[in-house]
Structure formats: structure tokens, C-alpha cells
Amino acid sequence: MRIRVAAPAELPLLQDIERAAGEAFRPIGMGEIADDDPLPLDVLESYRGAGRAWVAVDAEDRPVAYLLTDTVDGAAHIEQISVHPDAARRGVGRALIEHVAQAAREQGLTALTLTTFTEVPWNAPYYARIGFRRLDAGDPALTEGLRAISAAEAAHGLAAWPRVCMRRELTATTVSPPRTAPAVPPSAPSR
């Protein structure tokens, strides 16, 4: 598997990956999440044009997963990560996260952050297993930027299910090799 910046022609494929990954929410009673539209092409292009849309590609150089990042309060914020179900349970999501962690270190960023569902096995419990910690309301690492993201997500309807902000510090010793078969598939978006 190779990770690289997304190409312009691949943006519709990223939408397809997000739709396919979102289907994992339907059987757990979160059909609204499964039905949520993927990010529009112009938004994906803004991430791609800024070098913040990463793809994991198969042997034919076709994307099977993607990750979008923003910089929020000195951290690389994972805005979206989606793995196509056909590529799930192979460490693809973790490899994308580790790739972005290394890029963030090189940029002098201090952490990775994300927001996610607390009770979805491939969301908060998965991220906790790979080094992210929950940020409670009084945690000084819960920055104004993360609070604003949480508020925007709530306005979009995501607060209908319990959500949490999470953070993983980036230090020279944080790097850990991707597992080849994670216990829970990183096959759905972090949303």
C-alpha cells in the first residue's frame, strides 16, 4: 500500500469511498449518518489543492481510503477519514493516520486531533487503542478551535449521538508501526 496526495480526477472516488464506508453506520441504528452526503467536490478540491487530502492506494494506484486534515490550534486535525469496506481490517486507516502524524511532525505541529462518536466501536474506542485520548470539558487541550468544530458538527446534527474530541500528542517517540489486522475495522468515517 502506498500513501500520497490525492489527484484531481480522484475526488469523485473519495465521495464513493465515503458513501461505502458510511454504510457501516446503518446496521447500528445510525442511518442518518449512512445517508449523509459526502463532502462536495469543491470542498475536496480545496483540501487537495492545499496538499491536505491524502489517499491510500491499491496495487493499481486506485484510492481505497482517504484522510483530510486541517491545522487547528497548532495540531493536525483529522477532518475526515474513510476506508472502503473492501480494504477494511488491513491497517489502512492506521497507516493513513501514521503518515499524517509524520507529516505533522515535520511541520512542527504538536498533536493530532479529531472529533468522533463515543459509542461506535470503530470510532472513539479504536482511536483510543492507537494513542488518542478523550478531551473532557475542562481539559486545557480542548482548544477554542476544537470547541468551534464540535459546535459546527452539533449544528449539522451530529450531536444526536454522543461525540468526543480526541488528541494524540506528537513526539519523536510516538511513532508506532501500523498493525496488519486491527481488531476493529477503521472502515467508517470519523465524522
Side-chain angles (χ1 to χ4, degrees):
M1 171 188 47
R2 190 166 66 93
I3 296 172
R4 59 172 171 73
V5 174
E10 295 170 333
L11 300 180
L13 294 175
L14 303 189
Q15 290 178 318
D16 293 343
I17 291 168
E18 186 173 343
R19 282 185 198 100
E23 284 301 312
F25 288 95
R26 196 173 306 284
I28 63 167
M30 297 173 71
E32 295 91 338
I33 300 301
D35 293 336
D36 196 26
D37 288 330
L39 291 172
L41 291 175
D42 63 326
V43 173
L44 291 172
E45 173 55 29
S46 69
Y47 279 96
R48 190 210 62 79
R52 297 180 291 118
W54 301 93
V55 293
V57 296
D58 63 15
E60 287 78 42
D61 199 41
R62 183 177 169 90
V64 296
Y66 77 97
L67 187 151
L68 306 176
T69 62
D70 288 315
T71 301
V72 177
D73 300 328
H77 182 74
I78 298 171
E79 176 58 33
Q80 179 71 33
I81 182 168
S82 293
V83 178
H84 194 283
D86 293 344
R89 304 187 86 136
R90 297 182 190 156
V92 175
R94 183 173 180 144
L96 274 167
I97 290 169
E98 295 304 330
H99 183 86
V100 167
Q102 184 57 39
R105 277 187 204 92
E106 291 168 5
Q107 294 172 22
L109 301 177
T110 59
L112 296 178
T113 61
L114 55 83
T115 58
T116 194
F117 296 111
T118 62
E119 297 172 4
V120 175
W122 60 88
N123 280 193
Y126 170 75
Y127 295 119
R129 285 194 301 278
I130 63 169
F132 286 81
R133 67 179 179 86
R134 292 174 183 236
L135 301 178
D136 296 322
D139 193 315
L142 184 58
T143 64
E144 288 305 313
L146 288 175
R147 289 176 197 276
I149 290 168
S150 292
E153 291 175 349
H156 186 69
L158 294 180
W161 302 274
R163 289 185 63 77
V164 67
C165 294
M166 300 184 81
R167 178 180 176 99
R168 185 175 112 181
E169 301 302 323
L170 294 179
T171 63
T173 59
T174 308
V175 178
S176 58
R179 295 187 316 195
T180 56
V184 178
S187 62
S190 65
R191 296 191 206 213

